[in-house]
Amino acid sequence: RKEVEQDPGPFNVPEGATVAFNCTYSNSASQSFFWYRQDCRKEPKLLMSVYSSGNEDGRFTAQLNRASQYISLLIRDSKLSDSATYLCVVNDPRYGGNEKLTFGTGTRLTIIP
Amino acid sequence: GAVVSQHPSWVICKSGTSVKIECRSLDFQATTMFWYRQFPKQSLMLMATSNEGSKATYEQGVEKDKFLINHASLTLSTLTVTSAHPEDSSFYICSASLAPFLAATYEQYFGPGTRLTVT
């Protein structure tokens, strides 16, 4: 089983729609969770950290379900600029101190005008 | 947010030569920097963790003699790909981690990446 698993997509969604991505992780001891977005041939950029209580940042909502080891990202009122690859990222708890991150392979999203 | 720069942004070199890539944290001190490699349509794969003033820790399967890492200061880490071969062609990305007392979690901020092509 992959450490971090995501549906690779692609998701082709009309502008203005709501889209949700899911991600599962294998190590129950993981403590830090993130969503990054990566544009084609660019570096990943932190979209949001994911907290146990769930958190929202504008049109983006992230949720964490520790019991199911599941993370989600919801994008409302999608914009053309949301087209990107969304990476689910989880810390590797085997290493103390500065934590290493494990990246999912990403979910490709294209917003259609 | 924290800014990380990387230089060069792209490089083409001949097989057998060495290439040095620099990673700098511009507006913060990073005790730890990470070096990743990403092949087309694949996820980022961690190559090594670099701590200022100490030897880098390499991931399994990454040759430390081929990928030399130096972290001489709190704002600069370098990766040198020695005796590069075409199979080393990839997108190399560094990241820097904010110290835990500066962020709620271990967020990493990425440099813009270096696209290496070995001919």
Side-chain angles (χ1 to χ4, degrees):
Chain A
R1 183 184 173 187
K2 289 183 183 177
E3 292 182 60
V4 178
E5 201 147 1
Q6 293 181 252
D7 181 344
F11 284 55
N12 298 314
V13 174
E15 193 175 4
T18 296
V19 60
F21 304 136
N22 303 318
C23 165
T24 57
Y25 60 96
S26 62
N27 195 321
S28 60
S30 296
Q31 294 295 322
S32 301
F33 310 91
F34 310 92
W35 284 101
Y36 279 77
R37 69 170 279 168
Q38 186 174 24
D39 294 289
C40 189
R41 301 175 75 86
K42 298 283 188 180
E43 79 277 20
K45 296 197 175 188
L46 180 65
L47 181 64
M48 57 198 305
S49 300
V50 186
Y51 302 115
S52 297
S53 54
N55 46 305
E56 188 174 310
D57 183 2
R59 298 181 293 108
F60 299 86
T61 301
Q63 293 202 312
L64 168 65
N65 183 320
R66 286 188 185 273
S68 302
Q69 294 178 206
Y70 168 101
I71 307 160
S72 66
L73 176 69
L74 183 78
I75 306 175
R76 290 182 299 278
D77 187 24
S78 52
K79 312 288 184 192
L80 295 177
S81 57
D82 294 333
S83 298
T85 296
Y86 289 82
L87 305 173
C88 176
V89 183
V90 177
N91 80 295
D92 187 336
R94 292 173 295 173
Y95 303 93
N98 292 291
E99 297 177 324
K100 295 184 182 180
L101 300 180
T102 300
F103 287 76
T105 52
T107 299
R108 176 74 191 145
L109 171 67
T110 301
I111 305 299
I112 303 166
Chain B
V3 179
V4 177
S5 72
Q6 207 171 322
H7 177 80
S9 54
W10 60 270
V11 58
I12 301 172
C13 71
K14 291 187 176 179
S15 188
T17 60
S18 295
V19 174
K20 180 188 277 189
I21 302 169
E22 291 187 350
C23 177
R24 294 180 186 271
S25 55
L26 296 185
D27 51 0
F28 67 102
Q29 292 185 330
T31 52
T32 302
M33 290 184 172
F34 302 86
W35 286 96
Y36 295 85
R37 181 165 53 180
Q38 186 177 33
F39 292 105
K41 298 190 178 181
Q42 293 187 24
S43 184
L44 273 75
M45 295 301 295
L46 181 64
M47 298 175 67
T49 302
S50 167
N51 288 296
E52 184 265 339
S54 63
K55 289 184 179 179
T57 302
Y58 290 81
E59 294 300 296
Q60 193 172 10
V62 178
E63 299 174 60
K64 63 180 181 181
D65 295 329
K66 180 171 180 62
F67 299 98
L68 302 178
I69 292 172
N70 183 279
H71 194 155
S73 76
L74 287 172
T75 60
L76 173 63
S77 176
T78 61
L79 167 69
T80 301
V81 183
T82 62
S83 187
H85 288 96
E87 57 265 30
D88 297 324
S89 299
S90 187
F91 191 43
Y92 291 85
I93 313 175
C94 72
S95 73
S97 176
L98 286 173
F101 54 85
L102 293 176
T105 57
Y106 287 93
E107 298 167 355
Q108 288 184 22
Y109 293 88
F110 287 83
T114 297
R115 198 160 296 279
L116 171 64
T117 302
V118 185
T119 60

